[in-house]
Amino acid sequence: MDVKERTFQKQPTIFLNKKSQAVKTRERAERYTRNVGLGFKTPKDAVEGTYIDKKCPFTGNVSIRGRILTGVVIKNKMTRTIVIRRDYLHYVRKYNRFEKRHKNISAHCSPCFRDVQIGDIVTVGECRPLSKTVRFNVLKVSSAKGAKKQFSKF
């Protein structure tokens, strides 16, 4: 486990100082996980992993409510944060045509999604503000199917 924080990392919902001998004989520690609902399954890495992330929707203290969006990953250089691009068409009445537009959305990417690459299609859910620009949390990752920055409707 590569922990970058200097403090002791623990899940606030798990009590670590039990006095019974049953805990010491077990090889695996308890882990708090939950189902976010809306038909999204909890990833295997969230249940069996050892990471601590308070902003993770599966193991942390974040509830998913509001909008569910999909987009393409265009940047993943931040720690536990990705930028997704959402392409859409805007109708211009004067010319009776559509124009291409896009929006970039910052989303928190939990460590249970380890292999997120540029070009992957991700599904994000709205949550409370996690930072200045992050209001969404990654719920599902689909593998890439095409080019990096090409306009496409899902």
Side-chain angles (χ1 to χ4, degrees):
M1 184 167 99
D2 55 340
V3 176
K4 295 182 178 85
E5 293 84 7
R6 298 178 69 161
T7 59
F8 179 69
Q9 298 294 304
K10 73 177 203 66
Q11 289 183 308
T13 51
I14 302 295
F15 184 65
L16 298 176
N17 296 328
K18 290 184 180 174
K19 299 204 176 9
S20 66
Q21 295 294 331
V23 174
K24 293 177 183 172
T25 59
R26 284 193 305 187
E27 65 277 349
R28 215 176 72 135
E30 289 184 45
R31 184 157 175 81
Y32 170 75
T33 58
R34 65 190 187 99
N35 184 10
V36 296
L38 303 168
F40 294 101
K41 293 183 178 178
T42 304
K44 197 172 187 181
D45 287 343
V47 177
E48 298 174 355
T50 57
Y51 69 89
I52 305 295
D53 185 12
K54 66 180 182 180
K55 296 178 182 178
C56 174
F58 306 106
T59 62
N61 186 22
V62 175
S63 62
I64 301 297
R65 78 286 190 281
R67 296 185 181 272
I68 305 294
L69 307 173
T70 57
V72 180
V73 177
I74 59 170
K75 297 177 196 170
N76 59 358
K77 295 182 179 178
M78 291 180 276
T79 305
R80 294 185 181 180
T81 305
I82 61 172
V83 177
I84 66 169
R85 177 185 171 110
R86 300 196 69 235
D87 296 315
Y88 59 95
L89 297 173
H90 176 255
Y91 182 68
V92 182
R93 255 180 42 206
K94 178 179 178 182
Y95 299 111
N96 197 21
R97 282 168 171 72
F98 291 93
E99 64 181 3
K100 295 175 187 176
R101 290 190 178 181
H102 79 277
K103 291 271 194 249
N104 287 347
I105 298 174
S106 296
H108 180 78
C109 186
S110 174
C112 63
F113 302 113
R114 287 180 300 187
D115 49 353
V116 176
Q117 301 294 326
I118 293 175
D120 288 352
I121 295 173
V122 296
T123 302
V124 295
E126 189 179 5
C127 59
R128 63 178 169 83
L130 301 176
S131 69
K132 180 182 173 183
T133 58
V134 178
R135 277 104 176 92
F136 288 89
N137 231 314
V138 174
L139 299 175
K140 188 172 84 173
V141 177
S142 304
S143 60
K145 64 177 179 180
K148 180 173 86 170
K149 209 173 178 181
Q150 187 176 3
F151 188 87
S152 63
K153 292 291 283 180
F154 301 109

